[in-house]
Amino acid sequence: MNRELIVRSNSNSVDFALLKDGKLIELHQDEDDHNFNVGDVLIAKVRKPVTGLNAAFVNVGYEKDAFLHYHDLGPQLKSMLKFIKMVSTGKLRDYSLKNFPLEKDIDKNGSIKDVIKPNQSLLVQIVKEPISTKGPRISSELSIAGRFLVMVPFSDRVSISQKIESKEEKDRLKRLVQSIKPKGFGVIIRTVAEGKKVAELDKDLQNLMSKWISMCKKLYKAPTPSKVLVELNRASSILRDVFNDTFTGIHVDDETLYNQIKDYLHEIAPEKESIVKLYSSAVPIFEKYGIERQIKTSFGRTASMSKGAYLIIEHTEALHVIDVNSGNRSNKAKNQEDTALEVNLLAATEIARQLRLRDMGGIIVIDFIDMVKSDHRRKLFNHLRDEMKDDRAKHKILPPSKFGLIQITRQRVRPEVNIKTTEANPSASGEEVEAPIVLVEKIGVDLERILKSKNRDKPIILNTHPFIAAFLTKGFPSIRSKWFLEHKKWVKIQPRDAYTYLEYRFTDKEGKTFEV
């Protein structure tokens, strides 16, 4: 399995595309004017506690106040408030917490008005970026993430990722971290720490401690609200969270970003530094690696899969609905039940990719093709769960209901990636149509169906709009040439002036239309 990160720099944003064996699985955009990123820590001011919600609205400098629920305060709130007061007034200069006496934990079922007051200063961390009309969601239970470990101030607990399955490895890591953990700090051991030596873990912990001390220095006389700890730039945070030994290339088209990524990789994995390459070709980097094509074919209302099957993805205010369709494909070798299972397994793989690619969150309801056999339903559920193992967002998958629906809840911390894939219709002003590349994908799928039918040996003529005809035949190798190399069948392309932009038809030499 090969993984590549492709980084494209624009004048006001940076785009990151994560490829797995050449297929686009994640797309991120880092905009220069985005001031509230997940992981940022701010010194903020409580606007007003609301007893009815058991929450408070907090001024973090955004146009709308951030929302802080009682359960997001963290049990060590009193210790943190005491620490902020002492540091901001200059009474405490030792930020290590080894000599700082911790206060008693707050009542987990208490009331917000009993622990925080209006105009009180508070350290908060962004856990969900502003989405739609809502302000940021915040927590005052801070966590500072590193490559292998996450450091939690005002705690003493060591916990470990549930994805590490070996009990021996869990015990080993817990023992190592207990021996190097600074007093006054809890530690969460991340999945990527599996198999790592104590020197690597200690180095990560020292880096996190340096971040904490640097943040505390900013607290002295800091204006409220203001940012005191900035999450890594998006390139570094992606590498921190997803980088592993399967990465084979990181391609960047901007020299400054190239140097930043190279420096960061030198810190976390110096043996892999050579995979970072500066891209300098005249062909745009997203076109070179086929990302533009994949974006156009992946972000519309309809997402195509192999063998003619496709998904329809609908978005409502409350949830996302995905409908699985088998298309017009016929499969004589298998019965209806086996065909349904085959399409559903394909769909599960594509759905797992789509959720990550679009960063869809909240409630997702999937209407798979009905299956009668319980072992087929179980196989589908297990397959979907396996496909979503690599998804970094917290999620829960419920088994199929009696109606054949599968429900997923997926954590949403950023606005959903929503890319417009339609283009202006050159044949009619004011109208919009699918991008030509999406139409070409459909034509290719229909051609494949014809070539798998009893009509394979007949001459095949594609009648289409002159623009599309030119697109299919231009260059070497042209798309038509690629069809010939793949299927060993020459397709005659006939431009039709009377056809609309999206209209096409496969016929034989007598003009009879092939059924697809």
Side-chain angles (χ1 to χ4, degrees), residues 146-157:
R147 174 87 175 111
F148 306 118
L149 307 171
V150 178
M151 196 168 76
V152 183
F154 312 110
S155 173
D156 200 41
R157 186 180 171 195

Side-chain angles (χ1 to χ4, degrees), residues 173-193:
L173 287 169
K174 215 162 189 176
R175 194 168 58 249
L176 287 179
V177 171
Q178 286 281 15
S179 68
I180 61 175
K181 181 184 75 65
K183 187 182 175 187
F185 292 89
V187 174
I188 301 167
I189 303 168
R190 305 184 73 178
T191 310
V192 286

Side-chain angles (χ1 to χ4, degrees), residues 20 35 46 72 87 91 98 115 118 194 216 219 244 246 252 265 278 327 340 360 367 411 422 429 434 442 444:
K20 178 179 173 182
N35 295 319
V46 177
D72 293 323
V87 171
K91 290 180 181 177
K98 62 184 176 184
V115 289
E194 190 170 7
C216 292
L219 281 178
N244 57 38
T246 64
V252 193
L265 213 58
L278 181 61
M360 291 162 63
D367 183 11
Q411 181 188 34
T422 56
S429 60
E434 286 179 318
K442 285 184 176 179

Side-chain angles (χ1 to χ4, degrees), residues 63-268:
E63 60 192 62
K64 296 208 170 183
D65 288 340
F67 183 80
L68 178 63
H69 194 272
Y70 184 87
H71 292 145
D72 293 323
L73 291 172
Q76 308 86 20
L77 178 72
K78 290 180 181 177
S79 299
M80 188 186 71
L81 291 173
K82 177 182 171 185
F83 181 80
I84 294 168
K85 190 172 182 180
M86 292 177 72
V87 171
S88 58
T89 55
K91 290 180 181 177
L92 181 67
R93 296 296 174 91
D94 178 11
Y95 309 130
S96 66
L97 301 184
K98 62 184 176 184
N99 298 316
F100 182 77
L102 297 178
E103 299 291 310
K104 187 181 176 183
D105 288 358
I106 63 172
D107 180 4
K108 64 179 180 180
N109 296 314
S111 172
I112 194 100
K113 65 180 174 56
D114 296 333
V115 289
I116 58 174
K117 297 175 177 59
N119 297 318
Q120 191 168 28
S121 292
L122 201 62
L123 268 177
V124 297
Q125 189 166 31
I126 306 291
V127 294
K128 186 183 282 190
E129 293 175 11
I131 296 174
S132 186
T133 59
K134 297 175 183 175
R137 179 81 183 254
I138 57 176
S139 169
S140 56
E141 187 171 19
L142 308 183
S143 60
I144 306 171
R147 174 87 175 111
F148 306 118
L149 307 171
V150 178
M151 196 168 76
V152 183
F154 312 110
S155 173
D156 200 41
R157 186 180 171 195
V158 174
S159 52
I160 191 161
S161 167
Q162 292 180 351
K163 290 184 180 179
I164 298 177
E165 295 176 353
S166 165
K167 186 180 183 303
E168 292 78 10
E169 180 62 5
K170 281 184 175 180
D171 292 342
R172 183 189 77 88
L173 287 169
K174 215 162 189 176
R175 194 168 58 249
L176 287 179
V177 171
Q178 286 281 15
S179 68
I180 61 175
K181 181 184 75 65
K183 187 182 175 187
F185 292 89
V187 174
I188 301 167
I189 303 168
R190 305 184 73 178
T191 310
V192 286
E194 190 170 7
K196 300 302 176 186
K197 296 177 180 175
V198 67
E200 294 174 279
L201 301 178
D202 188 53
K203 183 184 175 185
D204 201 35
L205 204 53
Q206 294 305 321
N207 288 339
L208 295 175
M209 197 66 191
S210 298
K211 278 188 179 182
W212 167 257
I213 291 170
S214 173
M215 184 197 85
C216 292
K217 286 177 180 176
K218 291 180 184 176
L219 281 178
Y220 181 56
K221 294 184 177 177
T224 308
S226 65
K227 199 177 288 188
V228 290
L229 180 65
V230 180
E231 171 65 316
L232 291 169
N233 62 58
R234 188 61 63 88
S236 298
S237 67
I238 289 170
L239 285 173
R240 181 192 66 198
D241 293 340
V242 305
F243 185 82
N244 57 38
D245 292 338
T246 64
F247 265 73
T248 55
I250 299 171
H251 305 275
V252 193
D253 67 354
D254 178 83
E255 192 166 0
T256 304
L257 267 172
Y258 164 77
N259 290 324
Q260 285 177 4
I261 292 172
K262 197 155 181 138
D263 290 345
Y264 183 69
L265 213 58
H266 179 73
E267 283 183 29
I268 66 168

